[in-house]
């Protein structure tokens, strides 16, 4: 695998990371009414979100160039007794298109999982591709008794304990920072003016 190094994002990296995220997601989103992707705006917003974890905001570099990025925020599982259990979620996970399929994303995740464990976090719950994330150990969250806020279980809703038994005794509904749901296309289009113009990518009808 390509020689990759990891380090924490700095303030000077922010524009490059947002541009990288934009490139990574420009052509990969569902035809859900969006004109452009908004993941680069999400990265920008997450840095000031209440649950943001700066100690887990990592970039991956090859020969000094940023080629990947992962950003974390705190989440929680609330059980039937209203007890709250702190966990993590992450995303966007971004890799430059020309550097994809080289193991960079998986390496970035594994590095950040190890660092999260050192910081005392027990595990992560995410929404993601059900064929990709199991490669690094994710399983359906329902296997741990964890559901979406609506009480639903989906193949793309997954959980990962950072160590054996880390999620034992944790079950209930999972909640993430509201910033993930508050993005609008109006805001995304305005934010996108920071970057060189790109023709909107319209997915062909399936």
């Amino acid at each position: 695998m390509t020689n990759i190094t990891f380090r924490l994002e700095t303030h000077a990296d922010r524009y490059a990371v947002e541009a990288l995220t934009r490139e990574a997601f420009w052509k990969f989103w569902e035809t859900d009414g969006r004109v452009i992707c908004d993941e680069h705006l999400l990265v920008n917003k997450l840095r000031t979100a209440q649950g943001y974890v700066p100690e887990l905001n990592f970039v991956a570099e090859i020969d000094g160039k940023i080629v990947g990025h992962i950003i974390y925020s705190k989440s929680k599982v609330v059980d039937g007794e209203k007890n709250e259990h702190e966990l993590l979620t992450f995303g966007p996970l971004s890799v430059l298109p020309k550097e994809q399929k080289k193991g960079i994303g998986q390496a970035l995740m594994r590095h950040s999982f190890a660092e999260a464990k050192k910081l005392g976090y027990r595990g992560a719950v995410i929404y993601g591709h059900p064929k990709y994330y199991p490669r690094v150990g994710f399983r359906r969250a329902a296997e741990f008794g964890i559901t979406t806020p609506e009480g639903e279980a989906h193949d793309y809703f997954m959980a990962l304990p950072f160590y054996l038994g880390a999620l034992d005794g944790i079950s209930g509904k999972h909640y993430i920072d509201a910033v993930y749901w508050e993005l609008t296309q109006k805001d995304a289009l305005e934010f996108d003016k920071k970057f060189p113009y790109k023709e909107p990518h319209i997915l062909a009808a399936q």
Side-chain angles (χ1 to χ4, degrees), residues 126-131 134 139-142 153-159:
I126 64 166
Y127 295 83
H129 198 292
K131 292 185 178 180
R139 293 155 49 193
R140 293 179 74 249
H154 303 284
D155 288 347
Y156 56 79
F157 182 60
M158 294 171 280

Side-chain angles (χ1 to χ4, degrees), residues 31 201-206:
T31 50
H201 179 74
I202 306 301
L203 292 179
Q206 301 296 315

Side-chain angles (χ1 to χ4, degrees), residues 9 11-27 37-44 47 59 65-69 92 94-98 100 191-198:
E9 181 194 82
H11 190 276
D13 296 324
R14 290 187 172 190
Y15 181 86
V17 164
E18 291 162 5
L20 178 156
T21 305
R22 181 181 188 245
E23 290 297 317
F25 283 93
W26 195 258
K27 295 184 179 181
C37 70
D38 54 20
E39 282 81 1
H40 52 323
L41 173 60
L42 177 56
V43 168
N44 180 272
R47 296 193 191 101
V59 297
K65 180 180 179 180
I66 297 175
V67 296
H69 175 252
S94 307
V95 177
L96 280 176
K98 67 178 182 179
Q100 292 174 4
F191 182 71
D192 199 64
K193 294 177 182 178
K194 290 175 53 177
F195 306 91
Y197 177 77
K198 284 175 69 70

Side-chain angles (χ1 to χ4, degrees), residues 99-115:
E99 301 292 348
Q100 292 174 4
K101 298 183 179 180
K102 297 181 180 179
I104 295 171
Q106 292 185 49
L108 191 49
M109 283 189 284
R110 294 185 191 281
H111 174 79
S112 61
F113 297 161
E115 294 302 310

Side-chain angles (χ1 to χ4, degrees), residues 43-122:
V43 168
N44 180 272
K45 295 286 189 182
L46 279 168
R47 296 193 191 101
T48 55
Q50 184 175 0
Y52 171 55
V53 185
E55 299 89 351
L56 296 174
N57 183 6
F58 287 105
V59 297
E61 290 185 320
I62 297 176
D63 297 329
K65 180 180 179 180
I66 297 175
V67 296
H69 175 252
I70 192 168
I71 187 167
Y72 280 78
S73 60
K74 296 177 184 178
S75 65
K76 63 183 179 182
V77 170
V78 182
D79 64 26
E81 304 299 319
K82 305 300 181 183
N83 298 308
E84 297 186 1
H85 307 273
E86 185 178 82
L87 295 175
L88 292 170
T89 192
F90 65 78
L93 166 65
S94 307
V95 177
L96 280 176
K98 67 178 182 179
E99 301 292 348
Q100 292 174 4
K101 298 183 179 180
K102 297 181 180 179
I104 295 171
Q106 292 185 49
L108 191 49
M109 283 189 284
R110 294 185 191 281
H111 174 79
S112 61
F113 297 161
E115 294 302 310
K117 179 182 175 181
K118 291 178 185 177
L119 291 171
Y121 291 103
R122 300 175 68 172

